Structures are given as C-alpha cells and as structure tokens.
Amino acid sequence: MCFKTREEQIDPIVHHDPLTGLMNRAGVHDRFAQVSAQDRFNKVALLCLDLDRFKLINEMFGFIFGDLLLQSIAERLKRFVFEGDLLARVGDDEFMMILTHVSHAEEALKLAQKVREVLSGPFTLRDHEIMMIDFRITASIGIALATPNEEESEILLKNATTAMMRAKKEGGDRSQIYTPEVDAAALERLTLESGLREVLRRNELFLEYQPQLELKTGKMIGVEALVRWNHPDLGVIPPVRFISVAEEIGMIEPIGEWVLQTACAQNKAWQRSGLPPVRVAVNLSSCQLQRKSLIDLVARVLKETELDPVYLEFEITESTMMQNIETTVETLSALKRMGIQISMDDFGTGYSSLTYLRRFPIDVLKMDRSFLVENSGREDGMAIMIAMMKLAGTLRLKIVAEGVETEDQLEFLRLHGCDAIQGFLFSPPLSPDEIAKLLKKSSLGFGRWQQASSERGGNRICWSS
Ligand code: C2E
Ligand code: CA
Ligand code: CA
C-alpha cells in the first residue's frame, strides 16, 4: 500500500506496533511533523477510535482472540487511509488516524460513520482452527480538525481523544467532533472528579432541608435532606451536577454516609432543643442500595446519633428500586423492620408495574415534579395524576407531591386526596436554623397557612398569627 512507502522513512522498530504492524504513538508524532512540513495551510482530520467494551472480549474469549480481533480491525481500518495519511494503534484498543484528504466537519463525520459501519460487520476469528467465534463490535470515534502544526501536535491529538471520551460517555457507538465546549465539559468533569475525592476531607458539603406539609392538618411533618457542595472556585454546586459523577468514581458511598450521619444528627439536635419531632428523608443512590453493608451502616448511624428510626425515611427512586428487584425487596424489608419509612421517589417516571408496587415494602409514593410542571391545565395529564392518587389510596400508601409551586396546583392536589406536598409554594430547601424557626412556629400551634411573598422562594405559604 502507498502509505507504507512513506512509513519506511521512519524508524520501523521504534515506531511500529508489533501486533498489527501499524505505527504506534511515537510514530503519530513523527508523521504529524511530516504532514505539517508539507502543508501548513489545509486542514486535516484526526480520528481517535476506541473500541467499546473491548476488555469484556478479552475476558470472555481470552487474549489470543483479543489479539486476532485487533489485527482484523487494523485490516478493516486500512481501507480508509491513502497516501500521506496515517493509521496507528496508540493504546490497547485505541487507534488514531490522520486523514489528509478530509478537511470539513461534515466529511469527517460521514467518514467516521462509514468506519463504524465497516467495523460493525461480523468478525469470524479462528484460533488454530480449534475454536471459531463470530461477533460484532462497536466503536466510539472522536474527531479533531486542524491545520497541521508540529508544535501543537500534542494538543490536537488530545482534542481528538477528548472528543472520543465524550462519545464514550454518551453511551459509545457514536462519533463526536471536538469543539471548545467539549473541552470545557471535559475540564469541568476533571475539576469535579478531583474535587469530589477531597470533598469530605475539606468539609465542603452541606445539607439543606425542604419541609413537607401535610394537607389534612396543615402541619409540617417532615423535611427532605438535600446535599450541596460549596466548591472553593465554582461556588455552590447543586446535587444534579455532582451526584452522578460521585457515583461513577466510587465516591457516592462515603458521601452518602456523610449525608445520612449529618441528617440524623441534625434531626436529633432539633428534637433535643425541644422542637416538635419530624421525620428526615434521606435520598439513597442505587450504589448504596445494592450494598449489603447498608443495613449495618444505618444501624450504626442510628445508634451513634440516638435518633429514633421512626424519624428517618429513605427516598429511593422508582428506577433504582427496579434495578435489582430481589436485593431491593430484601434491603427494604430489613430497613422497614428497623422502623424506617420508605418512599418511592420520582414515582411515575420509571416502569414499575402494579405487581412490584405491591411487592416493595414501601410507605409513600412521591409523585414526580414533572407531572405538575407538564400537566398543569392539561386534562389528560391531570387524569393521570388523579389516577396516581387513587392508586396510592387503594394500595394504602401515602402520596406526596413534590415541586408544588402554585395555589392552583395545591387546590387540585387537595381535592383529589393528596396527603402531603413539598415545593416552593410552601418553602424552598432551608438551612437548619431556618427549619428550626419554622418548627418553632409550628409548635406554637398556628395551624393556618396563608400565602405571602418571601425573600427566597417567591410565593410561599406562611403561618398567620
Ligand atoms: P429530588 O429527590 O427529586 O429532590 C427534589 C428536587 O426538587 C430538589 O432539587 C429540590 O430543591 C427541587 N424542588 C423542590 N421543590 C421545588 C419546586 O417547587 N420547584 C422546583 N423547580 N424545584 C423544586 P435539588 O436539591 O437540586 O436536588 C436534585 C436531586 O439531587 C434530588 O432530586 C435527588 O435526586 C438528588 N439528591 C439530593 N441530595 C441527595 C443526596 O444526599 N444523595 C443522593 N443520592 N441524591 C441526592
Ligand atoms: Ca428525593
Ligand atoms: Ca423526587
């Protein structure tokens, strides 16, 4: 092939991958220097291709098959490189291509699509005629377009890799063009990851508590503990931005333990200062629920903080509960035996059938906020919410609506038998001191709520004196 003659100008031993005969990472830099010396003005495309779940193939079929597969993939990829281009294997299952004849994003995306199509065709691998395996493979491709410049080769290669990692993060089996936004997202991710590893040691987490109001009595019956991260450079970061990252890097368990410990200790502190007792609800992530050690942890925290288990509740999303039904039922039953209340969070967004609702030992359905947001004033949506409230009644479960923001929503919920509400109408999440003030008012016996504007949450219900 033509490109081979060019490669021969470069030291074959230092720059070649013995398995595939392609260039290695060192070879990429040399080729880049050659390309930029020839033409510094026309853009070229850099493709970084990483196989999806290659580790699994090695584990399932062994390294001999893994190596055979890499060789076959290299052969297929050679179809896309022409004179002046480069194809290299730069990692176990990572390939890099410099395509000098591709200079536009659209062309590059089309080509990447073709590459993925060609790789997706079945591979038949024979190991000394003893075993034959047929399978299909998918890949994630990152693309960077740039005018070749020797000094910046490292950055350009990194950009293609960053884009590839983004494609992986989105689920793999896709292509992604590098843009500064992709870089910003990668940088933010890196900042969050490294910060999260230190977050407990630096004591940067804090909890806010959002009250829940029982509609029948007008009383505050509980609070939900919501974690926040006070980042030294980025300010206060909401949980939606860091919980999933914490889950991925294995930090959710220590963080979850801190949340549980802090919420239980805080609840006990309110009670010790003579405020009327309420339940504190703690969100559990799926990693925590799957751990056998959860029960021991909860028992230990309750003992240490001396909180009565009836004042603790766990909120677990419907989709988390459905992940591993046997474990879920077992764990929830153990928690319930301890006297803890269980609530199914974001109810209505997952796929639990009625059978499962009966099987899970739960006390509360927490209707997802999206129902109120999307369906206010829409008849079909309102009918669904009414059905959910009826269902809760039939199954003898309490139903709590979250994200209640308007009087109209409140009236609708009250009319159809909703038990409790949580939302900005009543109160946003508050600091422990602010909760203490609310509880104090509640203990003075003002049971009537009226709407007033507040500094923090806009419309809000307040006790009238
Ligand atoms: P979630 O459990 O559904 O919590 C309710 C979220 O809705 C909270 O957002 C709350 O501030 C917000 N919210 C409450 N009322 C209203 C309202 O009237 N209008 C609007 N627009 N929003 C309202 P937040 O605090 O940002 O929490 C987001 C999610 O982060 C939570 O959703 C929960 O899934 C997760 N999360 C929070 N704390 C923890 C934690 O300690 N552990 C775990 N695993 N997840 C947590
Ligand atoms: Ca929740
Ligand atoms: Ca929720």
Side-chain angles (χ1 to χ4, degrees):
M1 248 202 223
C2 299
F3 70 90
K4 268 193 181 163
T5 53
R6 289 184 160 250
E7 278 172 5
E8 277 156 17
Q9 297 165 9
I10 297 170
D11 182 349
I13 304 207
V14 180
H15 294 95
H16 279 80
D17 162 40
L19 178 69
T20 57
L22 300 178
M23 279 205 199
N24 59 20
R25 195 174 279 278
V28 177
H29 287 283
D30 277 359
R31 172 51 55 85
F32 212 77
Q34 283 179 356
V35 172
S36 60
Q38 277 160 9
D39 184 353
R40 277 180 154 267
F41 303 105
N42 278 320
K43 280 191 175 168
V44 299
L46 280 161
L47 264 67
C48 173
L49 181 151
D50 194 281
L51 305 177
D52 298 329
R53 290 169 285 277
F54 181 70
K55 258 199 198 117
L56 205 72
I57 292 171
N58 265 339
E59 278 166 20
M60 279 168 64
F61 304 113
F63 288 103
I64 293 177
F65 275 99
D67 284 354
L68 286 172
L69 179 65
L70 287 171
Q71 285 167 343
S72 309
I73 285 171
E75 285 307 313
R76 288 194 192 179
L77 291 178
K78 279 181 188 169
R79 297 181 206 171
F80 295 93
V81 285
F82 300 101
E83 185 171 2
D85 292 353
L86 168 110
L87 170 63
R89 177 170 168 240
V90 295
D92 284 346
D93 59 340
E94 192 176 324
F95 295 83
M96 192 69 84
M97 296 161 107
I98 301 177
L99 303 175
T100 53
H101 55 286
V102 179
S103 51
H104 294 285
E106 234 167 82
E107 275 175 89
L109 275 170
K110 262 193 208 149
L111 191 122
Q113 172 66 25
K114 272 203 201 120
V115 170
R116 291 198 299 112
E117 274 167 25
V118 164
L119 290 187
S120 71
F123 286 88
T124 305
L125 303 178
R126 271 189 208 89
D127 170 25
H128 304 109
E129 308 293 328
I130 300 168
M131 202 163 123
M132 204 168 92
I133 299 176
D134 264 313
F135 50 79
R136 286 167 195 277
I137 193 133
T138 64
S140 303
I141 301 181
I143 304 162
L145 288 156
T147 45
N149 171 343
E150 193 182 344
E151 292 81 55
E152 289 182 3
S153 69
E154 193 57 54
I155 298 176
L156 298 175
L157 296 173
K158 187 186 82 56
N159 290 350
T161 309
T162 305
M164 178 277 288
M165 280 157 76
R166 173 64 172 266
K168 274 244 142 93
K169 189 146 192 330
E170 307 261 301
D173 193 14
R174 67 193 66 211
S175 314
Q176 168 74 52
I177 292 252
Y178 170 82
T179 62
E181 290 79 51
V182 169
D183 217 16
L187 188 68
E188 177 184 294
R189 164 93 195 185
L190 224 69
T191 313
L192 292 183
E193 271 186 25
S194 60
L196 275 174
R197 293 185 207 278
E198 301 290 313
V199 77
L200 291 172
R201 199 174 55 73
R202 295 192 186 154
N203 203 14
E204 289 168 354
L205 293 180
F206 67 99
L207 293 184
E208 286 191 315
Y209 300 87
Q210 189 174 30
Q212 291 180 352
L213 178 73
E214 188 177 55
L215 291 181
K216 199 167 59 199
T217 59
K219 275 197 174 148
M220 185 169 141
I221 48 163
V223 291
E224 176 178 7
L226 295 158
V227 68
R228 280 92 182 78
W229 177 9
N230 194 2
H231 190 283
D233 304 321
L234 304 174
V236 175
I237 307 181
V240 283
R241 265 177 69 195
F242 68 85
I243 290 288
S244 60
V245 183
E247 283 173 346
E248 281 172 43
I249 64 167
M251 278 301 292
I252 195 65
E253 282 168 65
I255 289 175
E257 180 173 340
W258 179 88
V259 170
L260 178 66
Q261 174 81 34
T262 309
C264 290
Q266 181 59 63
N267 202 12
K268 188 69 190 178
W270 284 321
Q271 292 177 9
R272 286 208 169 108
S273 64
L275 296 166
V278 292
R279 209 175 262 129
V280 67
V282 171
N283 291 282
L284 277 190
S285 89
S286 82
C287 313
Q288 293 173 280
L289 189 70
Q290 304 308 330
R291 282 267 178 249
K292 288 246 167 350
S293 53
L294 177 70
I295 305 298
D296 291 341
L297 169 70
V298 175
R300 177 165 61 77
V301 169
L302 286 170
K303 191 162 171 243
E304 278 169 13
T305 57
E306 296 176 16
L307 182 72
D308 184 332
V310 299
Y311 296 118
L312 178 61
E313 172 175 345
F314 283 120
E315 291 195 7
I316 302 157
T317 65
E318 182 180 8
S319 42
T320 294
M321 285 197 193
M322 297 297 294
Q323 269 171 25
N324 189 339
I325 289 158
E326 292 309 315
T327 318
T328 300
V329 172
E330 219 172 276
T331 310
L332 295 190
S333 308
L335 292 171
K336 267 211 72 87
R337 279 196 298 274
M338 292 164 82
I340 297 162
Q341 178 160 300
I342 310 289
S343 161
M344 185 184 263
D345 205 354
D346 300 350
F347 175 60
T349 58
Y351 299 96
S352 44
S353 69
L354 290 180
T355 325
Y356 289 123
L357 278 185
R358 291 194 79 108
R359 260 189 84 191
F360 292 137
I362 51 179
D363 308 277
V364 178
L365 295 179
K366 213 166 170 194
M367 189 159 66
D368 191 61
R369 193 168 71 83
S370 58
F371 288 100
L372 281 177
V373 176
E374 285 158 24
N375 296 323
S376 283
R378 286 188 45 180
E379 249 173 52
D380 49 347
M382 285 160 85
I384 292 177
M385 286 192 280
I386 294 171
M388 285 202 267
M389 289 183 263
K390 278 212 178 103
L391 175 69
T394 313
L395 295 173
R396 296 205 177 78
L397 300 172
K398 295 263 180 233
I399 187 151
V400 178
E402 66 180 3
V404 182
E405 293 184 359
T406 67
E407 282 289 337
D408 287 348
Q409 293 170 341
L410 174 66
E411 275 326 300
F412 167 76
L413 294 163
R414 196 198 297 277
L415 189 69
H416 294 284
C418 182
D419 296 288
I421 60 154
Q422 181 181 332
F424 294 167
L425 178 67
F426 176 36
S427 167
L430 301 172
S431 72
D433 282 352
E434 289 172 304
I435 291 288
K437 279 186 205 143
L438 267 187
L439 283 170
K440 200 177 246 163
K441 282 188 193 167
S442 159
S443 70
L444 294 176
F446 299 123
R448 219 161 64 77
W449 301 87
Q450 73 173 30
Q451 201 175 319
S453 63
S454 84
E455 337 70 67
R456 289 191 62 182
N459 276 342
R460 171 154 158 213
I461 308 175
C462 290
W463 263 286
S464 64
S465 40

